[in-house]
Amino acid sequence: QVQLVESGGGSVQPGGSLRLSCAASGFTFSRYTMSWYRQTPGKERDVVASITSRGVILNYAESVEGRFTISRDNAKNMVYLEMNSLKPSDTAVYYCNPGRDLWNVWGQGTPVTVSS
């Protein structure tokens, strides 16, 4: 079955960095645009960044532009989110998602806490 396993989250101080990973299985990963989302309690999941099946970056949320970098490795069925210059406002649970017919498939997410 389709599985998405996010990892790499943690607690960091403002200005710190983290690299999130998402391991995908159960579908043809190389054919899907992949996106990272984040969610805070009581709010909807918001898209953070998206990358096409061929590795072209589609978009970043305005709030992370210039600080976050999305990338993927189709040979490993992995998508990554490099997060630099982290701010307390980046605190959230981060998820990856393939969209399209798999839009409702979600992993457990990986929590990121940015605090001094």
Side-chain angles (χ1 to χ4, degrees), residues 4-35:
L4 300 163
V5 180
E6 300 91 349
S7 62
S11 295
V12 296
Q13 293 186 339
S17 298
L18 285 173
R19 188 190 193 214
L20 307 184
S21 299
C22 167
S25 61
F27 64 102
T28 309
F29 177 81
S30 61
R31 294 183 180 178
Y32 282 78
T33 289
M34 292 296 297
S35 298

Side-chain angles (χ1 to χ4, degrees), residues 16-20 67-68 81-86 94 112:
S17 298
L18 285 173
R19 188 190 193 214
L20 307 184
R67 300 187 297 120
F68 289 13
L81 188 67
E82 186 78 32
M83 306 189 298
N84 298 312
S85 302
L86 283 161
Y94 286 73
V112 172

Side-chain angles (χ1 to χ4, degrees), residues 8-60:
S11 295
V12 296
Q13 293 186 339
S17 298
L18 285 173
R19 188 190 193 214
L20 307 184
S21 299
C22 167
S25 61
F27 64 102
T28 309
F29 177 81
S30 61
R31 294 183 180 178
Y32 282 78
T33 289
M34 292 296 297
S35 298
W36 281 97
Y37 289 77
R38 65 186 181 186
Q39 186 174 29
T40 54
K43 294 188 177 181
E44 293 185 355
R45 283 176 189 157
D46 292 325
V47 63
V48 175
S50 299
I51 187 168
T52 71
S53 59
R54 295 189 177 186
V56 176
I57 295 170
L58 277 177
N59 62 277
Y60 290 104

Side-chain angles (χ1 to χ4, degrees), residues 55-100:
V56 176
I57 295 170
L58 277 177
N59 62 277
Y60 290 104
E62 186 177 341
S63 58
V64 308
E65 184 86 49
R67 300 187 297 120
F68 289 13
T69 302
I70 188 171
S71 62
R72 67 188 294 158
D73 185 336
N74 285 346
K76 296 181 179 179
N77 285 8
M78 298 287 294
V79 61
Y80 307 99
L81 188 67
E82 186 78 32
M83 306 189 298
N84 298 312
S85 302
L86 283 161
K87 304 176 180 179
S89 56
D90 296 317
T91 295
V93 179
Y94 286 73
Y95 303 86
C96 62
N97 184 266
R100 288 169 50 191

